[in-house]
Amino acid sequence: MNVNDVMRLLDAKLICGEENLETEVHEACGSDMMSDVLAYVKDQAVLLTGLVNIQTVRTADMMDMVCIVFVRGKEPDEDMIALAQRRGMVLLSTAHRMFTACGLLWEGGLRGGKADECASLDI
């Protein structure tokens, strides 16, 4: 699966990163707690979150994620978009809630980490 597939499955709006839509992704996670993302996430390429602040982009960058999907129709501000562009990240926004978005990606074949690796994430 690639980022373009994620965008299609979630009927998401592209905010930035059009040049990286063909980037392959193999795993995803969903969390509004960036401390959990830092502590438990390994090898995740896509972050689904409702948290819209600059720390979300910084955290995703530290974890080498290629795409952030903002759920519930949330959208980042200009500073977040500028940072994501500098880091080569794709930002998407979907009207779906976290649970539904994760389920749609799971149904489409995108998986998350194992329970013992990501015990507190709501994937």
Side-chain angles (χ1 to χ4, degrees), residues 68-111:
I68 301 172
V69 180
F70 297 102
V71 296
R72 300 186 304 277
K74 293 189 174 188
E75 294 197 18
D77 64 23
E78 290 180 21
D79 291 336
M80 293 174 66
I81 295 169
L83 179 57
Q85 287 173 324
R86 286 194 304 272
R87 300 297 189 213
M89 270 187 254
V90 177
L91 297 183
L92 303 173
S93 177
T94 182
H96 293 293
R97 293 179 178 176
M98 175 90 72
F99 183 82
T100 303
C102 290
L104 288 168
L105 293 179
W106 179 271
E107 206 172 55
L110 191 60
R111 300 298 186 244

Side-chain angles (χ1 to χ4, degrees), residues 11 27 33-34 41 46 48 51 55 64 78 85 91 95:
D11 192 27
E27 293 190 12
M33 295 182 61
M34 294 302 105
V41 171
V46 179
L48 292 97
L51 185 63
Q55 287 307 113
D64 295 323
E78 290 180 21
Q85 287 173 324
L91 297 183

Side-chain angles (χ1 to χ4, degrees), residues 4-29:
N4 198 45
D5 296 324
V6 170
M7 187 169 73
R8 181 182 45 78
L9 285 168
L10 297 179
D11 192 27
K13 171 185 163 188
L14 175 66
I15 297 167
C16 72
E18 183 175 349
E19 65 279 3
N20 295 314
L21 290 178
E22 295 303 318
T23 302
E24 289 292 316
V25 295
H26 303 285
E27 293 190 12
C29 72

